[in-house]
Amino acid sequence: MKNSWRAVAVAVSTVLFSVTVIAASAEDWTKRSIYQVVTDRFALGNGSSPRCATNERKYCGGNWQGIISKLDYIQGMGFDAIWISPVVENIEGTTIGGEAYHGYWAQNINSLNANFGSDEDLKNLSSALHERGMYLMVDVVVNHLVAVPTNTSSVWPETFDYSLLQPFGGSHSFHPQCFISDYSNQTDVEQCWLGDASIPLLDIDTENSTVVDTMYSWVKNLVSNYDIDGLRVDTVKHVRQDFWPDFASNAGVYTVGEVFTGNVSYVASYTEGLDSVLDYPTYFAVYDAFNNPTFGNMTVIADVVTQAQDQYNHGTFYVGSFVENQDNPRIQSTVSDQSVVKNFITWPFINDGIPILYYGQEQGYQGANDPANREALWLSGFSTEDKPLLTHVQALNSARKQAISYNSSFLTTKASFISQSSISTLAISKPPLLTLLTNGGNSSNATWIIPSTAGLYSPNETLVDVLTCDSVMMASDGSLNVVATNGLPKVLMPTEALNSSGSFCGSGSQGSSVSVGPNGSSASAGSNGSSSPGGLKGLNGEIVVVIMSLVFTGIVSGMLIV
Ligand SMILES: *[C@@H]1O[C@H](CO)[C@@H](O)[C@H](O)[C@H]1NC(C)=O
Ligand SMILES: *[C@@H]1O[C@H](CO)[C@@H](O)[C@H](O)[C@H]1NC(C)=O
Ligand SMILES: *[C@@H]1O[C@H](CO)[C@@H](O)[C@H](O)[C@H]1NC(C)=O
Ligand SMILES: *[C@@H]1O[C@H](CO)[C@@H](O)[C@H](O)[C@H]1NC(C)=O
Ligand SMILES: *[C@@H]1O[C@H](CO)[C@@H](O)[C@H](O)[C@H]1NC(C)=O
Ligand SMILES: *[C@@H]1O[C@H](CO)[C@@H](O)[C@H](O)[C@H]1NC(C)=O
Ligand SMILES: *[C@@H]1O[C@H](CO)[C@@H](O)[C@H](O)[C@H]1NC(C)=O
Ligand SMILES: *[C@@H]1O[C@H](CO)[C@@H](O)[C@H](O)[C@H]1NC(C)=O
Ligand SMILES: *[C@@H]1O[C@H](CO)[C@@H](O)[C@H](O)[C@H]1NC(C)=O
Ligand SMILES: *[C@@H]1O[C@H](CO)[C@@H](O)[C@H](O)[C@H]1NC(C)=O
Ligand SMILES: *[C@@H]1O[C@H](CO)[C@@H](O)[C@H](O)[C@H]1NC(C)=O
Ligand SMILES: *[C@@H]1O[C@H](CO)[C@@H](O)[C@H](O)[C@H]1NC(C)=O
């Protein structure tokens, strides 16, 4: 599919990547959109499709070759970066918690996880991505290594075969054994161990300068050996803060850390040492707002985001913005209303941070907490036909790319909120985008009022909802009043912004950086279905056509324009 697109991508990559590979900075990453895979659960290199029961917590066979074979699928949704599971050798065999298929139980950081492939496979994945102009983000763990206790009787501290734990090989490189018991005591959080007596995560002594030097040179070599463009850093709050700046500079690429808590000021303190963090505080606010459609308070999202914008170093521009991942339940484990789900999935793409989509969201996966949320994607057949959420994601990626290419200030202008009277609606302005979200559900009629004092667009200006290609028009006094049935989200852009590349809800020419949908079918499910966001047939930018669509839309889908 999309041969012309591929030709452009190859031509561009030849220019950009064949001469020298330049380390990707945080700023480079802000233009990107990341697809997160659990390597073992994404695809098999030989194309087979074995059964995969998540509750068994076993390796299911996914590998780096599998990812290489499905890059069209990822890129076809508009992603230009992937985040893969940790790549290093993990403990083998079965524990009480199953096998190390997720990659977070490292045993030897100088060797690769053979279940995922060979050294050459990982290098080939890296170069296959770079040939397409895509970035590779690798997950790394500094806080701990894992070993199974050698003595299962209640010996304390437990005993381990330290020779397996490379490159350290001795107990002196680890903190003395104690499990974290007091999360309000930062020393306890940093120096005691995660895990439990059955699967203890041996806490690396990052106060020992020999150990520290080893970790710094390890990360430097890892990035250089595999031409890695960015790192997702695990369990960051469990390592002393002043360890991180030199770690980041040795990595030399974008680093985004996991600080798994909702406390903005606590998380903010980690945005100094690493480039940024996965934006957990905002995640919790968004999840709460949509997980409980009846009572979720969307205004809390605005509060948390505003605090994060104020307190994080670089605001929220460099954060990883996500709504699902391998450690949290998928929204569809509790919510079946597809309008609510579409609003939820929209969030990461329309705010300041770098969007991250967790594999399977586009296929409507419903797994609850770990391990249920690590389903095999091959069981979906990688189908792109009749997948409303996949089409939705394509449209969101296209909208974001379009916004960036129309006005690069998009990347450095803070998202702002236009206060609404209802706690089940949210209006987010990030010019040229205006996003209207609601958690009211598929039988609600959400109303958003944008007063003229917001000064977002000109009087009488036409805006297009890039999720449906339907239009709304600013009132002659410069205000906007939108009512939408079916509780669907709206991502509005002025027609002028769409016109700048003409590839999306526009003239029909295919742009080089904007991916278009496979068929556009069912994209506006729940709406009037009169147009298709990812589709190639557009309105040609003609005002007359836009206004006719406007009238048609007003009548058919109940969207009112004041
Ligand atoms: C495909 O690869 C998996 C994992 O390496 C292996 O178990 C399976 O036998 C292979 N299937 C075929 C048909 O080669
Ligand atoms: C890696 O890529 C090279 C060049 O495309 C190819 O010759 C080689 O067979 C690939 N290796 C593997 C293990 O697939
Ligand atoms: C395990 O610990 C028990 C109790 O201290 C001791 O008697 C036994 O010898 C130990 N076994 C091994 C294999 O270390
Ligand atoms: C620091 O770690 C090294 C090995 O990495 C070890 O040889 C040394 O004993 C450790 N120092 C202390 C004070 O624990
Ligand atoms: C904090 O935790 C450390 C490590 O467990 C412990 O030594 C220390 O006593 C604790 N401090 C307080 C005030 O509880
Ligand atoms: C949030 O984190 C800050 C900074 O670490 C701390 O002072 C504050 O007590 C925390 N707030 C809560 C509610 O835990
Ligand atoms: C919703 O959240 C906002 C911001 O935190 C708060 O001011 C407001 O009281 C909340 N409203 C309800 C009904 O909970
Ligand atoms: C609304 O969502 C519910 C599931 O929550 C579903 O049963 C119903 O069919 C949906 N209605 C429409 C009109 O999509
Ligand atoms: C680009 O965006 C910035 C910030 O919103 C705005 O000030 C500027 O006028 C915009 N430029 C154009 C050409 O729209
Ligand atoms: C939503 O709007 C439609 C059309 O205007 C109307 O028939 C329906 O009763 C409204 N639903 C609610 C829940 O207000
Ligand atoms: C907007 O449209 C109204 C009605 O067509 C017209 O009277 C008014 O002059 C227009 N305003 C601007 C600024 O174009
Ligand atoms: C796009 O905008 C330019 C300048 O604003 C205009 O000349 C051109 O006709 C527009 N193209 C379409 C297809 O609307």
Side-chain angles (χ1 to χ4, degrees), residues 127-147:
S127 55
L129 286 161
H130 293 153
E131 273 165 25
R132 291 164 181 260
M134 295 174 74
Y135 281 172
L136 173 63
M137 174 178 284
V138 169
D139 207 325
V140 294
V141 186
V142 166
N143 179 64
H144 51 263
L145 294 180
V146 177

Side-chain angles (χ1 to χ4, degrees), residues 46-109:
N46 64 17
S48 70
S49 186
R51 70 181 276 280
C52 180
T54 52
N55 63 334
E56 291 176 2
R57 303 176 192 247
K58 287 185 174 158
Y59 279 102
C60 286
N63 51 30
W64 297 317
Q65 280 291 351
I67 301 173
I68 295 173
S69 73
K70 292 295 171 195
L71 290 178
D72 277 348
Y73 172 82
I74 297 173
Q75 198 174 25
M77 286 182 276
F79 293 100
D80 45 16
I82 64 168
W83 153 14
I84 62 173
S85 304
V87 298
V88 300
E89 183 186 308
N90 273 227
I91 60 169
E92 279 299 328
T94 302
T95 70
I96 195 169
E99 299 176 350
Y101 70 90
H102 40 71
Y104 293 102
W105 292 345
Q107 153 176 294
N108 179 354
I109 60 172

